[in-house]
Amino acid sequence: MRYKGLQLDPFQEEAIHAIDRNHSVLVTAPTGAGKTVLAEYAIEKCIEMGHRVIYTAPIKALSNQKYRDFYQAYGDCVGIVTGDVVLNQSAQVLLMTTEIFRNTIFDDRTRLNDVRYVIFDEIHYINDIERGTVWEESLIFAPQNIKFVCLSATIPNINQFAEWMRTVRDVEIDVIEELERPVPLEHHLYLEGYGIGDLEGLQRVQESIAYDNFYDYDGFYDNDEASDDTDEDKTLEEALCNYLIQADLISYIQNQNKLPCLYFCFSRKVCEHNAAHYAKQNFLTPKQRKEILHLFDLLCTQYSIRNERNIQVFRRLVSKGVAYHHAGMLPTLKEVVECLFTSGLIQLLFTTETFAVGINMPACTVVFESLEKYDGISFRYLKAREYHQMSGRAGRRGIDSIGYVYARVSPKFVHVESVKRILSGKIEPIESQFNLSYSSILNLYEKYGDEIYDVCTQSLNNFQNHERVRKTEAQVQHTSSTLGKLPKPTCIHEGVNGFDQIGSYNHLRDRITEQRKALRAERRAIKRKGGKRKRQKNLHQKLIGIERQLRQIESTKNENLCHNCEQFKSCDQRYRKIRQAENRIQKLQNRKVLLENYQRQQISSRLKILEELGYIDASGLLARGKIASQIYGYEIQVTQLLFKGFFDKLSEDELNVLAMAIVCEEKKDWGYYKKLGDKGIKKLLRTADREIEAIQILEGRYQVDPMTPKLVTQLSTAMLAWSQGCEFETLPQYVNLADGDFVRAFRLVIDLLRQVRRAVVGHDSLLDKVDRCLDKINRDVVDAERQLRAGQEAL
């Protein structure tokens, strides 16, 4: 079968036939295999039949890219709705983020009556801890007239996922799985200090290092006189030579004609540092240099960023065929880099992992700066899914016969088993992250009332928990059976229960251990605190009391029948095995209860909080609940502050500062930031924070997780300056933040204010104020719609 001049692969044909039968399809295929063709086919089929189709993407950058691609192909049939941009929202083909689609389901399902298909790109995002619940809610609560085209690189538990989908969707769902890559990959390791090798080479290097360390430690080599190489040394060296090629990695890739290269780093600073380092070399011919500079200047003019700071520095990088790409850059500059990379002129692109999400920009080679990353809490090794998602960018279909992947590792410190798991281990299965927000609960409560619990049993979490509960029950039965066969302690004393007897003896021993710990702590306190005579006297009296209790317990223990009993060791071993089995059974039963009740308990707790705060009662949603149900993200903070009069009494600048404090995300280290000087605004932020503290107290009482975040004020001064009209270039004097982070933060405020505007329809004075707030923020490089239109014109 041919489509758009291409000979389709069997999996593509199978998916297209399923769409022709009006089935939903769940397709997994390696990156670069051609999943986008299926989305295009579903779109064109809907256009022909006069139906609407929605395409959702996990990130706004991907939504924007697809909008431009589809607009070029289908013209005014295409529209886009994200938190930043609304263009032609009644279009036949509508691009949106998954959050917007979920919100539409809850806000006004009638707007989806004529939608035939929804395309979920990167459906494995359902596994995302923070956002995965949005995909799950969308699949559960979307009108049943909608069919889905779900696309993903790899879902190991695809059949389980499909079985769950069949429980919540009425239409037939076809599962199509393609395992073969159109361009096969070669995976290599770059062993720092040695060269290019593989897992076996890594193991041999580590053996060599361990061997050298052993003899160094043992004094085998004299500092002044080196020993002759042993036969074992020579064997190791020969083995290493078989596996390793001494080379600088990038020079080696260039010499092997394996450019262009995507070089993944897990730090923005490392991306920029590497780009600056390698820009000392030249990766372009004079003709290519002329072409890329002409295109760069043209794009910068198109996006109105020629005079932005750092553009000239970036231009020098680009002139060598080198660039970097990360979330700290201006979104417009990131798009310029993407256009340059697509042109084939960028030979070496240093980028963070976000470049691997959805954007169809493959390279001949992919390099990993490391197989470890900082996840915001600690350093950890990559998951196999993350590695394969990024490495899948290697190999350009129709250009390369093989794609190459190199991962840099330090043989001295790396954990071989972790590397083996990443490179050759199984990809992790997707797991439910279902966790309804207050807003989602309000929408469901309005529709279903107390039946909300029954509705939520449709979640993937509940589906997967059934299997987990069955496995837990099997473990309980197995452990109980083992427990029943264990021999019990038998006491040599007539009429004494051996198990109870040794249990009481062990309890006394544990109490003695605890008392001795308490004694040590009190002695340390006496030495540390010093101070007045009365305080010292009280501490000594407490110490005497603990010593007295310890002597009493030891006396009781010494009188116990088990004390100095010749059979104690045997009885104690039996006792401990029984207790271990009993403890395991108790833990398994607790786990089973948690699996069965966690989601219900979380929903119940949130409903109780909403009732106490005056959002709901037995009849349904109250005034606060109706407002909060229309705001997705920060709904409780906004609604509480709205009803306390903050939004009415604040000026536009103050309201923008408050909105920024609501959406701003806490970081461990902000670096430099200028504190607010306006005492009035500082006071209102403290008052607003107390309102949120009251919510957190309720959440703590009902054990809700996660809790509503408090206000974060580190960007308040920058927002005040921006709202008052400062230039974008002056913002770093208020806080040490990257350009892209400024834009992202301001756009989050814009998204929130637009939701507020929609929620307070009818309150004309407040609507006017919110519009003025938006005008003050949505300007210059922050204006996402302007960026999108510039991207269209640049095509």
Side-chain angles (χ1 to χ4, degrees), residues 11 26-30 33 35 123 150-156 158 175-179:
F11 87 92
L26 177 54
V27 182
T28 66
K35 295 186 291 293
I123 185 64
C150 300
L151 307 174
S152 177
T154 309
I155 301 178
I158 187 171
V175 176
I176 297 150
E177 192 171 13
E178 174 60 44
L179 301 177

Side-chain angles (χ1 to χ4, degrees), residues 98 101-102 105 120 134-142 148:
T98 314
F101 176 65
R102 187 277 311 271
I105 292 170
F120 272 161
V134 175
W135 275 260
E136 199 166 334
E137 291 171 43
S138 298
L139 288 168
I140 295 170
F141 302 115
F148 287 93

